[in-house]
Amino acid sequence: WRRRRGKISAFEFLFSALGQASALDLTLNAQASSFTEPVTRQAVDQRYNAAAVPFFKAAFHESLATHLAWKADSAMTQLLQQRFRAVRLFDSTHCPCSDALAKLFPACGGGGGTAGLKVLLSYDYGAGQLHPLEVLPAKCSDQGLAGKACQQVGEGELGIFDKGFYQAQALRQVKARGGYFLLPWHHGVSVWGIDAAGQRGAPIEVAAHLKASPQVQVEWDAVELGQTQESRLGPVRLIAYRLAEEKANRRRAQLREKCRTHGRLPTEQALELAGWLILLTNAPKELLPTAAAGYVYRVRWQVELIFKQWKSVLRLDVLPSENAFRVQCEVWARLLTALLAFVWYQHANAACLKL
């Protein structure tokens, strides 16, 4: 694609798309007017073709590979780097686009439109590097992406996931590679004790146990999850942290509202569990102490903050075009813009800390 000759050079095309990523009005006319030689909007639209998508994607990955590897130097970062080779955070975000693209990028349905994209993101906490892993149709669930995300967690590394990524087989593969995982326990997954012989014991009623406990932290050192052989995961640690009363009440109110919209009442067990943050991990205590696990998991909110900034500043969720190739190019152009802004932010923040 880069060898194409014409009024629009590869570099100018890419650079103009980066300018459009943060523009107030995403139009082909505005992009056409930014080139050295005048071109028509139709000429720009024709450049958004099948060859342009891998070009934009390659430009992003080239920038990602060559940008300065800035290292965070906070006390928590240094502690994590001493214990894990890397700490990788995973999450995804949904970007609605024109309904005309429903066949190429089908959404989940409901009231959120018929077409949309999902961006799967990995964030290396220690290096401060963003790694968008894939741009997929919005109908792809996080659980369906668990395998792809878990493949990124290598030996001695810690992967931090949202509960939507819980998939026993994928997590077993992380453990088999010598990696570690940390994510919330899904309340629908059964919990079983492990006896002295290392065999599955009696089921554990987590809600009843927590309700009877006066402690702010409750931990099971070794449990097994899942009902069937295929869904089993263990042994793992299950750690529960009592939430502040205000946050617990807010989560219970959200649960009641969700149940009300489905015409039912929340169970007593569900209301009790809403007052706790319950995490599961295969990392031993010497690597991830009980008190630190909850703090480390909250690092994952940095990924959600990144998505929030992208949607508000780069408008990653605004994709009005009906050209499938242009939509994909714009996503990669905005991710590249976000990467450049993120690198600038890192170095500016580091410089301010030295003042």
Side-chain angles (χ1 to χ4, degrees):
W1 195 94
R2 285 183 283 186
R3 291 193 294 270
R4 181 187 181 100
R5 294 292 183 264
K7 291 184 177 181
I8 304 177
S9 69
F11 175 77
E12 278 198 308
F13 184 46
L14 176 63
F15 192 78
S16 67
L18 299 184
Q20 283 286 292
S22 56
L24 292 177
D25 189 17
L26 299 172
T27 66
L28 292 173
N29 286 330
Q31 190 173 357
S33 65
S34 67
F35 295 106
T36 302
E37 296 186 51
V39 297
T40 64
R41 67 184 306 277
Q42 289 80 9
V44 177
D45 190 46
Q46 290 172 5
R47 293 300 186 272
Y48 285 111
N49 51 39
V53 177
F55 170 64
F56 274 72
K57 186 175 181 179
F60 172 83
H61 286 293
E62 178 71 16
S63 299
L64 184 66
T66 56
H67 89 74
L68 295 176
W70 177 86
K71 300 289 184 179
D73 58 359
S74 69
M76 176 55 68
T77 301
Q78 292 178 0
L79 176 63
L80 291 174
Q81 289 176 334
Q82 291 171 5
R83 301 186 177 194
F84 301 100
R85 291 184 178 179
V87 177
R88 306 189 186 279
L89 294 72
F90 300 90
D91 209 342
S92 66
T93 189
H94 168 257
C95 310
C97 53
S98 171
D99 289 342
L101 300 174
K103 288 186 178 181
L104 287 173
F105 307 115
C108 299
T114 60
L117 295 175
K118 175 169 281 191
V119 179
L120 176 62
L121 173 74
S122 168
Y123 175 52
D124 187 328
Y125 177 67
Q129 293 181 342
L130 300 170
H131 300 270
L133 301 178
E134 203 69 62
V135 177
L136 302 159
K139 73 172 185 178
C140 297
S141 67
D142 286 349
Q143 190 176 44
L145 298 175
K148 182 178 291 292
C150 287
Q151 287 175 1
Q152 308 300 314
V153 183
E155 181 181 358
E157 298 180 350
L158 175 65
I160 304 178
F161 306 89
D162 184 47
K163 68 179 180 181
F165 286 87
Y166 180 84
Q167 214 251 20
Q169 182 179 2
L171 295 174
R172 287 198 301 266
Q173 292 174 354
V174 172
K175 184 178 180 180
R177 289 195 298 270
Y180 306 99
F181 50 79
L182 177 68
L183 69 163
W185 168 60
H186 195 291
H187 298 173
V189 177
S190 59
V191 181
W192 303 78
I194 297 178
D195 61 26
Q199 301 299 313
R200 169 174 285 200
I204 298 175
E205 298 295 336
V206 177
H209 191 100
L210 295 178
K211 185 175 182 179
S213 175
Q215 305 298 321
V216 296
Q217 294 181 6
V218 178
E219 179 173 0
W220 290 266
D221 291 333
V223 300
E224 189 172 77
L225 305 180
Q227 186 74 33
T228 65
Q229 187 67 35
E230 183 180 356
S231 64
R232 287 188 180 184
L233 178 66
V236 296
R237 296 164 58 200
L238 196 67
I239 313 169
Y241 304 87
R242 190 186 299 273
L243 300 177
E245 184 176 359
E246 180 181 355
K247 186 171 184 178
N249 289 337
R250 184 164 60 249
R251 289 181 60 173
R252 288 175 179 133
Q254 292 171 348
L255 175 62
R256 290 188 177 97
E257 177 60 23
K258 182 178 179 180
C259 290
R260 186 191 66 79
T261 60
H262 290 84
R264 55 187 176 85
L265 295 174
T267 64
E268 186 176 333
Q269 291 84 353
L271 289 172
E272 177 62 35
L273 294 174
W276 297 79
L277 171 64
I278 307 175
L279 303 176
L280 65 96
T281 182
N282 67 323
K285 284 186 178 181
E286 54 268 25
L287 286 181
L288 194 60
T290 303
Y295 179 89
V296 171
Y297 178 74
R298 289 179 176 87
V299 169
R300 194 189 62 83
W301 294 111
Q302 292 192 20
V303 175
E304 296 197 2
L305 178 60
I306 291 169
F307 278 143
K308 184 177 181 180
Q309 291 172 339
W310 285 2
K311 286 189 174 183
S312 62
V313 179
L314 300 177
R315 290 163 305 135
L316 196 61
D317 58 338
V318 180
L319 299 169
S321 176
E322 296 183 3
N323 182 333
F325 300 124
R326 182 185 173 191
V327 167
Q328 294 176 81
C329 289
E330 285 188 356
V331 169
W332 285 109
R334 296 184 206 187
L335 291 175
L336 178 53
T337 303
L339 171 67
L340 298 175
F342 197 74
V343 173
W344 175 86
Y345 167 80
Q346 290 175 323
H347 290 281
N349 185 55
C352 291
L353 292 175
K354 295 178 181 179
L355 296 179

